[in-house]
Amino acid sequence: MEISPSKTVSSLPDQEFSVIINKVNELTNKGIDVINVGQGNPDLPTPPHIVNSLIEAANKSGFHKYSPFRGHKFLKEAISKFYKREYDVEIDPDKEVVIFNGGKAALYAVSQSLLNPEDVALIPDPGYPEYLSGIMMARAHPYHFKVTPTNNYLPVYNDIDQEVLEQAKLLYLNYPNNPTGATANREFFNETVKAAEKNNICVVHDFAYAGFGFDEQKPISFLSSPGAKGVGIEIYTLSKTYNMAGWRVAFAVGNEKVIQAINTFQDHIFVSLFGAVQQAATTALESDQSCVKDLNSVYESRAEHFIQACQRELDWKIQKPQGTFYVWAKIPNGFDSFTFTELLLKEAHVAVTPGEVFGVNAKDYIRLSMVTSTERLDELVKRIKSLNINFSSIEKVPETI
């Protein structure tokens, strides 16, 4: 008997992150010490008060039953209070909140809930590759628009063909940005609302790195711009902000019609999250946020330490990110991102992410995650230095971020 995958599965792009993980595992299984900064996987533990909340809640027999399809009311109310406290945004917990089993599930649910076959969705290049996956699963058409350092990796809507804007149904944005570390300002989000209103486009703002803004600049919520709830939603995950990557908790807030469409879709697939996890997530959102500030300081310190070490030891000039826990680094002449990544892994046992994973316009870059100690980052720089690569040949990146 011959069994073939569906056209949907066959059309999906390669999962490049799993390729990186597999290569790292191959070397690790041979006893080789690999410094892996190729994944956005937090290295520090979840704060104890959140863990303790889970332990306490797990002992409550009421949580051993199925959770309500659309999540417990207490979590949705906590989300509403969180958005009011942190961003001064009013959220109706009954109509404007949807809960997800992680951020990736959110992106899948959005695409399946809003896109029809042949619809057009706009995604940045470079940008998080999972946006493309959801679009392909919906059998819609992705349109890649270029973002560049000269404009702080923000879209210039006037540079996108007006006919494409009129056809587009979704626009994916992500600030603080993976992979570049760029952040968005109020003026840009206001401009985005106007462009969305003019062209009848739903904005999906991926706020995965909301907790991490450097130089004392707190990241801005898209929904805090006037009219934003009328044109879109914002996805928030607890994975990064609270070191809860393995817990798989995320939510979206915003436009009621969009939220209800997603809730309807999820009614047929999921039965929400384990109640004890929802209780722990509520604790994370409602408790003192000093753990978030402390984590932000750790990542900023690591990024600064690494960038200074690269400048001092390698003559490798890298700009400091404005947020996230990523460093976006331009690579030397004579390499593309894949060949440079292969060299680092094979010869220095350092795993990074090639820029081309995030789009064709990123072939001159790699992404490094600051998810390891400064001591390991120093060792990483030492290993790269042993390769005798000429970093001084790198063309200077415009200083706009």
Side-chain angles (χ1 to χ4, degrees), residues 136-170:
M136 300 303 291
M137 282 187 275
R139 299 191 181 183
H141 296 297
Y143 180 88
H144 301 264
F145 59 88
K146 187 175 182 179
V147 290
T148 68
T150 56
N151 196 50
N152 198 33
Y153 291 104
L154 299 171
V156 179
Y157 296 118
N158 288 337
D159 289 349
I160 302 175
D161 189 284
Q162 183 58 40
E163 185 176 345
V164 173
L165 288 174
E166 292 172 358
Q167 293 175 344
K169 190 171 184 179
L170 287 186

Side-chain angles (χ1 to χ4, degrees), residues 126-382:
Y128 185 46
E130 299 301 338
Y131 305 144
L132 175 62
S133 301
I135 295 167
M136 300 303 291
M137 282 187 275
R139 299 191 181 183
H141 296 297
Y143 180 88
H144 301 264
F145 59 88
K146 187 175 182 179
V147 290
T148 68
T150 56
N151 196 50
N152 198 33
Y153 291 104
L154 299 171
V156 179
Y157 296 118
N158 288 337
D159 289 349
I160 302 175
D161 189 284
Q162 183 58 40
E163 185 176 345
V164 173
L165 288 174
E166 292 172 358
Q167 293 175 344
K169 190 171 184 179
L170 287 186
L171 166 63
Y172 289 86
L173 298 175
N174 165 224
Y175 298 98
N177 183 257
N178 176 15
T180 67
T183 58
N185 55 29
R186 175 74 59 223
E187 180 182 6
F188 168 73
F189 279 147
N190 292 344
E191 180 186 349
T192 297
V193 172
K194 292 178 182 178
E197 290 174 338
K198 176 183 177 181
N199 298 287
N200 196 32
I201 300 173
C202 178
V203 178
V204 179
H205 182 231
D206 179 5
F207 207 20
Y209 301 90
F212 309 136
F214 300 155
D215 297 316
E216 299 183 352
Q217 297 298 310
K218 181 177 179 177
I220 298 171
S221 166
F222 167 66
L223 294 184
S224 63
S225 283
K229 267 206 295 186
V231 298
I233 63 171
E234 189 159 75
I235 299 171
Y236 195 108
T237 173
L238 278 65
S239 293
K240 318 298 185 183
T241 305
Y242 301 98
N243 280 335
M244 295 173 66
W247 298 54
R248 311 313 300 142
V249 187
F251 59 85
V253 291
N255 185 277
E256 179 182 346
K257 291 182 179 179
V258 175
I259 295 298
Q260 293 310 311
I262 298 170
N263 268 322
T264 299
F265 171 75
Q266 291 207 131
D267 285 346
H268 295 272
I269 300 177
F270 308 115
V271 188
S272 195
L273 310 176
F274 179 33
V277 171
Q278 294 189 55
Q279 183 63 67
T282 298
T283 297
L285 296 172
E286 291 186 338
S287 298
D288 179 82
Q289 300 294 294
S290 59
C291 63
V292 179
K293 296 177 182 177
D294 291 344
L295 186 59
N296 182 78
S297 296
V298 168
Y299 289 137
E300 182 171 17
S301 176
R302 286 177 178 179
E304 289 176 342
H305 181 95
F306 174 72
I307 290 169
Q308 290 169 6
C310 287
Q311 170 73 57
R312 181 179 63 253
E313 302 295 333
L314 306 173
D315 197 22
W316 191 4
K317 298 177 180 63
I318 303 172
Q319 284 194 328
K320 178 184 173 182
Q322 294 175 326
T324 74
F325 50 52
Y326 300 118
V327 168
W328 187 237
K330 197 164 188 182
I331 61 177
N333 297 340
F335 295 96
D336 61 43
S337 67
F338 282 115
T339 58
F340 191 68
T341 297
E342 283 292 320
L343 174 67
L344 294 186
L345 186 58
K346 290 183 178 180
E347 302 298 330
H349 301 145
V350 169
V352 302
T353 307
E356 286 164 277
V357 166
F358 304 98
V360 297
N361 292 309
K363 65 181 179 64
D364 296 331
Y365 289 83
I366 58 171
R367 191 197 73 178
L368 304 98
S369 302
M370 300 292 100
V371 291
T372 192
S373 67
T374 53
E375 290 77 15
R376 290 289 277 174
L377 292 173
D378 284 339
E379 172 63 20
L380 185 156
V381 173
K382 180 180 177 181

